[in-house]
C-alpha cells in the first residue's frame, strides 16, 4: 500500500492500513448513482466496485463533472440572474449622475461624463468581468475566495500564513484538483518558494472578501435611499428625515425576506427587474429623441479628454461618481444616454437627474418600479455575502455560522441568518447615521473600486499560473486595468474623511474576526500536534483502561493521530468501550456523496477494538447520527476490515458485531484555548484569551451540524494552556 500523505507532521497511520469504502446495508442505488458508476468503469449493472486505499488516499473526492443545463434551465437561470445578480448594478442610473457635483455644467461636461460611463461599462463590466473574470470559477463558485481556492489547487502554499493549510502530499494526484502543467511557470515557482508572496496573496484575499461584505451593507443603503429620494423631487413638503425613516423601514423589512432563499427571491423579483430595464431603456430612448439626438456621439472617447481638459482637478474628483456604474449593457447605455440628453437641455436638474428626466405622466409608476428595483438590488450583495461566508468557513477563515442551503437543485444558494441580521443592523446604522447624505455614495464607491483592484491582482496570477497565459499578455492586462482602476481609486481616496472611511471600518471589523479566528485555530493545531498521543502512549492507555462492553464514537477534528483530549478522557474515566471508533466528519464540495463513498474506515495500528473512520457528506446531505442506520453502516465496515486484518480477525469481527447491543455512546470534545498570563506578548494573549474565546463561545461548534441522540452523548472539556 502507498504510505499516507501528511498534512501537519503527525503520523497518518501505518503503511499497511486498509481503507474500505462502505455502502450502508440495504441501500439502493439511484439511476443517477448508477450512471455515475458506469461513467467511471463500473457499469453493466454491476454493484459499485469496492476499492482499498492507504489511509492517506482516503481524502480523495470524486471528480466533479461540469453541470450541464438544458436550454430551459439556462433561460430560467438567466432570468433569475436579472434580480439576484444584476439588481444592484442595474439601479446605478438612480444615483450616478446625481452624485456628480459640477457647477455651471454644460454639454461638454455631460458628454464627457457619458463617455466615461460608456467606456467604464465596456472595459470593466463587459470585457473584464463578463468575458474574463467569470471564466475563473471554482466548480461554479465565484469571487475572491474562489480565485484563492483555484490558486491553492495549483500552488503549494506553505509556511506561516493566516489561512490553515490542509494540503496532503497525495493531493497532487486528486482528480478534484485542476490539472497542473508538467513544467510550472516561473511565477508558480516563485510563489511556492516565497512565504512572503503567499502571505501577500492571502492578505489580498482576506481584505477583498471583507470589502465585499462591507459592500453588502452599503448597497442596500444607497439603492433604497436613491429610490425613495425621488419623492423630494416632486414634493417640497417631504423632508430628508422622512426619507431616512422610510428608507430604514424598507431596509428592516427587506432582510427577513432572505430566509426564503436565493432561488425563490430572485425568481419573485426578476419580473420587477425585467420591467425596470425595459422602462429605463424606453425612457432613455424618449429623452434622446426629445432632447438631444446626437448624444450617442459620446461613444467617442475624445469627449473624455475634453471633459478633463475643461474641469481638471474638479473633473478628476468626480470620477468617484462613475466608478460604481456597471450593469446590463444595452439598457444602461440607453438610460445614461437619455439622462445626458435631458441634462444638456436642463443642466439645473443634475442633482435629480433620474426622476427629473422621467416624463410627468410616468413619474409615480416609475417611482414604484424604481423603489422595487432598489429593493431587488439589495439582494445581490446580501446573497453574495452569504456565499463568501460559506467559502470562508470551508477554508477555515471564519467562525462557523449557520449555513442553510436553500436549493436542492443548484449549488451555492445559501442563507446565513446571523450574517443577515448583522448586515441589517450595519445597513440601518449607516442610513440613519449619515442621514441619507452623500457620504454613503462615497463609501460605496470606495468599497467597489478596492474590490475591483484586488480582483485584478488575483486574476493576473490566475492567468499566468492556471490559464498559462503568456506573461507579457497577462502583464498587459494587469497594467491596463491597474491604470484605469488606480485612477478611480486615487479620486475616491480623497473622499475618505467624507464617508469613505466606512468600508475600511467594516473591513477592519471583519478582518479582526478572521485573523483572530485563524490565529486561534493555528495555535490549537500546534498544541495538538505537540501533545498528540503517540502510539506507545496510546497503547498504554488502552491497556490500563477497563474495557467496558459497548461501542463508542469519539468525534474529532484531527484527521491524523490521536488528539490529546483522549488522554484527558481516559485519565478521568479510567475506562474505554471495547469498541472505540474515532470519527472525523468531512463536508465535500459536492451536492451529495454516493452511499458507497460515505464511510472510510481503518484499523488504528495493531490495537484490538480501536478503529478510525471518516464520514463524508455533501453540502446537501444531512449529517444524521440518530437511530440505527449510522451504527449498522459503521459496524458492517468494521467487521469486514477486522476479518481481513490478521489471524484473530474472526474473533474481532464477532466482538464488533455484538458491541452495539451493549450500548452506543458518542463523545465530543470541547477545548478551551488559554494563553498563560506570564506570556510576554500581551497582544497575542489578548487575541487568544479574549477575542478567540469570545468567538468560540458565541459561534457554532464544530459538531453543531450533527444530528445526535443527546441521551447517548457526552461532551468532554479540556483547557489547552499555550
Amino acid at each position: 500500500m502507498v504510505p499516507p500523505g501528511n498534512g501537519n507532521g503527525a503520523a497518518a497511520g501505518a503503511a499497511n492500513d486498509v481503507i474500505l469504502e462502505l455502502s450502508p446495508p440495504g441501500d439502493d442505488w439511484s439511476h443517477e448513482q448508477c450512471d455515475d458508476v458506469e461513467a467511471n468503469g463500473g457499469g453493466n449493472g454491476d454493484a459499485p466496485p469496492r476499492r482499498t486505499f492507504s489511509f492517506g488516499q482516503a481524502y480523495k473526492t470524486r471528480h466533479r463533472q461540469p453541470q450541464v443545463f438544458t436550454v430551459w434551465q439556462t433561460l430560467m437561470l438567466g432570468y433569475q440572474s436579472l434580480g439576484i445578480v444584476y439588481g444592484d448594478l442595474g439601479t446605478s442610473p438612480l444615483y450616478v449622475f446625481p452624485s456628480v457635483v459640477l457647477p455651471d455644467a454644460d454639454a461638454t461636461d455631460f458628454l464627457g461624463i457619458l463617455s466615461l460611463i460608456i467606456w467604464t461599462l465596456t472595459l470593466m463590466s463587459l470585457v473584464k468581468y463578463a468575458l474574463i473574470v467569470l471564466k475563473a470559477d471554482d466548480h461554479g463558485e465565484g469571487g475572491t475566495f474562489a480565485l484563492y481556492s483555484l490558486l491553492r489547487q495549483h500552488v503549494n502554499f506553505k509556511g506561516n500564513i493566516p489561512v490553515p493549510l490542509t494540503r496532503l502530499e497525495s493531493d497532487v494526484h486528486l482528480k478534484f484538483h485542476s490539472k497542473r502543467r508538467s513544467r510550472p511557470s516561473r511565477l508558480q515557482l516563485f510563489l511556492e518558494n516565497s512565504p512572503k508572496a503567499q502571505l501577500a496573496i492571502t492578505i489580498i484575499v482576506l481584505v477583498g472578501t471583507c470589502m465585499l461584505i462591507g459592500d453588502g451593507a452599503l448597497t442596500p443603503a444607497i439603492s433604497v435611499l436613491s429610490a425613495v429620494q425621488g419623492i423630494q423631487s416632486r414634493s417640497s413638503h417631504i423632508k430628508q428625515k422622512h426619507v431616512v425613516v422610510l428608507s430604514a423601514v424598507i431596509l428592516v423589512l427587506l432582510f427577513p425576506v432572505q430566509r426564503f432563499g436565493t432561488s425563490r427571491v430572485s425568481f419573485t423579483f426578476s419580473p420587477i427587474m425585467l420591467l425596470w430595464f425595459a422602462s429605463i431603456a424606453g425612457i432613455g430612448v424618449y429623452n434622446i429623441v426629445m432632447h438631444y439626438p446626437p448624444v450617442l456621439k459620446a461613444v467617442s472617447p475624445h469627449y473624455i479628454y475634453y471633459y478633463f481638459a475643461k474641469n481638471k482637478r474638479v473633473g478628476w474628483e468626480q470620477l468617484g461618481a462613475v466608478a460604481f456604474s456597471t450593469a446590463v449593457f444595452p439598457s444602461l447605455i440607453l438610460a445614461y444616454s437619455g439622462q445626458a440628453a435631458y441634462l444638456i437641455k436642463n443642466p439645473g436638474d443634475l442633482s435629480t437627474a433620474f426622476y427629473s428626466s422621467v416624463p410627468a405622466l410616468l413619474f409615480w409608476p416609475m417611482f414604484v418600479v424604481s423603489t422595487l428595483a432598489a429593493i431587488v438590488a439589495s439582494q445581490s450583495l446580501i446573497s453574495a455575502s452569504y456565499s463568501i461566508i460559506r467559502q470562508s468557513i470551508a477554508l477555515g477563515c471564519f467562525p462557523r455560522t449557520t449555513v442553510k442551503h436553500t436549493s436542492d437543485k443548484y449549488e451555492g444558494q445559501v442563507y446565513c441568518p446571523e450574517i443577515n441580521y448583522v448586515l441589517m443592523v450595519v445597513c440601518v446604522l449607516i442610513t440613519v447615521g449619515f442621514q441619507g447624505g452623500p457620504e454613503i455614495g462615497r463609501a460605496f464607491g470606495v468599497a467597489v473600486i478596492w474590490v475591483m483592484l484586488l480582483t485584478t491582482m488575483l486574476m493576473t496570477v490566475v492567468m499566468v499560473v492556471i490559464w498559462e497565459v503568456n506573461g507579457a499578455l497577462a502583464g498587459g492586462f494587469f497594467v491596463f486595468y491597474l491604470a484605469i482602476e488606480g485612477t478611480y481609486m486615487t479620486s475616491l481616496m480623497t473622499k475618505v474623511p467624507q464617508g469613505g472611511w466606512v468600508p475600511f471600518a467594516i473591513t477592519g471589523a471583519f478582518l479582526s474576526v478572521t485573523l483572530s479566528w485563524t490565529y486561534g485555530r493555528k495555535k490549537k493545531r500546534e498544541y495538538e500536534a505537540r501533545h498528540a498521543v503517540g502510539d506507545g502512549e496510546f497503547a498504554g492507555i488502552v491497556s490500563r483502561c477497563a474495557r467496558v462492553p459497548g461501542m463508542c464514537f469519539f468525534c474529532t477534528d484531527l484527521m491524523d493521530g490521536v488528539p490529546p483530549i483522549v488522554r484527558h478522557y481516559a485519565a478521568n474515566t479510567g475506562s474505554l468501550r471495547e469498541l472505540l471508533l474515532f470519527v472525523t466528519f468531512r463536508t465535500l464540495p459536492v451536492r451529495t456523496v454516493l452511499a458507497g463513498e460515505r464511510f472510510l474506515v481503518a484499523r488504528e495500528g495493531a490495537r484490538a477494538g480501536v478503529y478510525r473512520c471518516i464520514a463524508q457528506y455533501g453540502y446537501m446531505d444531512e449529517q444524521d447520527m440518530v437511530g440505527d442506520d449510522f451504527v449498522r453502516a459503521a459496524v458492517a465496515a468494521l467487521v469486514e476490515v477486522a476479518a481481513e486484518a490478521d489471524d484473530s480477525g474472526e474473533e474481532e469481527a464477532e466482538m464488533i458485531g455484538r458491541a452495539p447491543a451493549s450500548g452506543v455512546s458518542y463523545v465530543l470534545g470541547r477545548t478551551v484555548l488559554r494563553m498563560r498570563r506570564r506570556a510576554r506578548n500581551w497582544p497575542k494573549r489578548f487575541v487568544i484569551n479574549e477575542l478567540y474565546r469570545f468567538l468560540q463561545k458565541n459561534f457554532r461548534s464544530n459538531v453543531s451540524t450533527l444530528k445526535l441522540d443527546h441521551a447517548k452523548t457526552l461532551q468532554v472539556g479540556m483547557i489547552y494552556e499555550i
Side-chain angles (χ1 to χ4, degrees), residues 430-625:
I430 290 172
T431 303
V432 176
F434 286 126
Q435 288 295 298
E439 294 86 357
I440 299 177
R442 293 162 185 161
F444 182 51
V446 169
V448 170
I449 201 62
W450 273 98
V451 172
M452 289 181 175
L453 270 169
L454 297 175
T455 301
T456 296
M457 297 177 186
L458 290 174
M459 272 305 305
T460 304
V461 180
V462 168
M463 292 171 73
V464 175
V465 174
I466 301 176
W467 292 355
E468 303 182 16
V469 173
N470 180 272
L473 188 60
F477 167 86
F478 176 75
V479 171
F480 181 75
Y481 281 101
L482 180 65
I484 297 175
E485 294 161 354
T487 303
Y488 280 119
M489 185 269 293
T490 57
S491 171
L492 283 163
M493 291 304 289
T494 63
K495 305 296 192 301
V496 170
Q498 294 84 37
W501 56 269
V502 172
F504 292 107
I506 297 175
T507 297
F510 276 94
L511 202 57
S512 65
V513 171
T514 296
L515 294 179
S516 298
W517 179 255
T518 54
Y519 180 72
R521 297 289 292 176
K522 171 191 167 188
K523 301 303 288 187
K524 178 176 180 289
R525 291 193 307 274
E526 290 177 351
Y527 180 94
E528 290 182 338
R530 290 195 306 269
H531 297 83
V533 179
D535 287 345
E537 182 185 0
F538 184 63
I541 291 175
V542 173
S543 63
R544 290 193 301 271
C545 287
R547 303 302 294 270
V548 182
M551 181 179 187
C552 177
F553 290 90
F554 203 111
C555 303
T556 174
D557 281 339
L558 198 62
M559 290 190 291
D560 297 325
V562 179
I565 201 168
V566 173
R567 182 190 298 116
H568 182 66
Y569 170 79
N572 285 274
T573 62
S575 64
L576 293 172
R577 293 277 194 173
E578 62 178 340
L579 179 56
L580 180 63
L581 183 62
F582 294 102
V583 182
T584 300
F585 293 88
R586 295 187 74 220
T587 300
L588 306 180
V590 292
R591 185 172 66 88
T592 187
V593 171
L594 299 178
E597 300 176 321
R598 179 60 48 81
F599 295 96
L600 305 170
V601 297
R603 188 169 183 176
E604 182 65 28
R607 289 169 288 277
V610 182
Y611 294 84
R612 182 179 293 276
C613 170
I614 295 178
Q616 303 186 127
Y617 291 86
Y619 75 88
M620 286 298 293
D621 291 331
E622 190 173 34
Q623 298 182 6
D624 190 353
M625 297 175 69

Side-chain angles (χ1 to χ4, degrees), residues 189-200:
L189 292 175
F190 169 74
L191 291 176
E192 291 189 342
N193 294 312
S194 175
K196 291 183 178 179
Q198 294 176 13
L199 177 62

Side-chain angles (χ1 to χ4, degrees), residues 1-83:
M1 303 297 291
V2 180
N6 192 334
N8 59 6
N16 61 348
D17 279 347
V18 178
I19 295 300
L20 181 67
E21 294 189 339
L22 166 73
S23 296
D27 190 69
D28 293 329
W29 280 60
S30 66
H31 292 296
E32 179 182 355
Q33 292 169 330
C34 291
D35 290 342
D36 200 2
V37 171
E38 185 173 355
N40 288 277
N44 302 320
D46 295 335
R50 292 183 179 274
R51 292 168 293 173
T52 57
F53 302 93
S54 73
F55 199 74
Q57 291 177 313
Y59 305 111
K60 283 192 173 182
T61 57
R62 183 177 293 273
H63 179 54
R64 289 277 299 277
Q65 299 294 332
Q67 285 186 285
V68 179
F69 299 106
T70 64
V71 174
W72 176 249
Q73 288 175 322
T74 302
L75 291 175
M76 285 296 98
L77 288 173
Y79 174 70
Q80 291 182 27
S81 70
L82 288 175

Side-chain angles (χ1 to χ4, degrees), residues 624-663:
D624 190 353
M625 297 175 69
V626 178
D628 298 329
D629 289 344
F630 186 90
V631 175
R632 282 200 300 266
V635 167
L638 295 175
V639 167
E640 193 163 352
V641 170
E644 298 176 357
D646 49 39
D647 295 337
S648 61
E650 292 186 7
E651 182 180 348
E652 177 94 351
E654 291 179 3
M655 181 274 294
I656 293 172
R658 68 172 182 267
S662 301

Side-chain angles (χ1 to χ4, degrees), residues 271-284:
I272 297 172
M273 294 309 299
L274 195 61
L275 178 61
W276 165 257
F277 287 125
S279 300
I280 61 174
I283 293 174

Side-chain angles (χ1 to χ4, degrees), residues 57-283:
Q57 291 177 313
Y59 305 111
K60 283 192 173 182
T61 57
R62 183 177 293 273
H63 179 54
R64 289 277 299 277
Q65 299 294 332
Q67 285 186 285
V68 179
F69 299 106
T70 64
V71 174
W72 176 249
Q73 288 175 322
T74 302
L75 291 175
M76 285 296 98
L77 288 173
Y79 174 70
Q80 291 182 27
S81 70
L82 288 175
I84 210 66
V85 175
Y86 297 116
D88 65 321
L89 305 174
T91 55
S92 59
L94 285 169
Y95 44 79
V96 173
F97 268 114
S99 299
V100 177
V101 181
L102 282 177
D104 303 322
D106 57 17
T108 301
D109 297 313
F110 296 126
L111 289 172
I113 295 172
L114 177 60
S115 188
L116 276 169
I117 291 173
I118 290 174
W119 284 101
T120 298
L121 283 167
T122 302
L123 296 175
M124 297 172 68
S125 176
L126 181 62
V127 176
K128 177 185 172 183
Y129 280 94
L131 301 181
I132 299 177
V133 175
L134 287 182
K135 295 184 182 297
D137 70 300
D138 182 23
H139 302 281
E141 292 291 342
T144 52
F145 259 115
L147 296 178
Y148 185 64
S149 177
L150 284 173
L151 288 173
R152 287 274 296 271
Q153 292 174 31
H154 289 77
V155 179
N156 186 13
F157 276 58
K158 53 191 175 183
N160 190 22
I161 62 176
V163 179
L165 300 177
T166 56
R167 188 184 184 101
L168 304 174
E169 293 177 3
S170 58
D171 282 354
V172 294
H173 304 297
L174 300 181
K175 291 183 179 179
F176 178 74
H177 281 252
S178 303
K179 184 179 179 181
R180 299 178 65 179
R181 64 167 77 185
S182 56
R183 296 184 61 185
S185 64
R186 292 181 180 179
L187 179 58
Q188 180 174 333
L189 292 175
F190 169 74
L191 291 176
E192 291 189 342
N193 294 312
S194 175
K196 291 183 178 179
Q198 294 176 13
L199 177 62
I201 289 178
T202 304
I203 294 298
I204 287 174
V205 170
L206 295 179
V207 172
T209 299
C210 294
M211 274 285 183
L212 195 55
I213 295 174
D215 194 6
L218 290 163
T219 296
I222 190 172
S223 298
V224 173
L225 269 170
S226 299
V228 175
Q229 282 174 339
I231 302 178
Q232 290 181 305
S233 66
R234 293 299 171 108
S235 177
S236 59
H237 299 291
I238 303 297
K239 305 299 182 184
Q240 184 67 13
K241 64 180 180 180
H242 300 144
V243 172
V244 172
V245 171
L246 180 57
S247 299
V249 170
I250 292 174
L251 290 170
V252 170
L253 296 175
L254 165 67
F255 281 87
V257 177
Q258 297 294 325
R259 71 178 184 271
F260 295 111
T262 302
S263 183
R264 292 179 182 176
V265 170
S266 60
F267 197 89
T268 303
F269 286 158
S270 288
I272 297 172
M273 294 309 299
L274 195 61
L275 178 61
W276 165 257
F277 287 125
S279 300
I280 61 174
I283 293 174

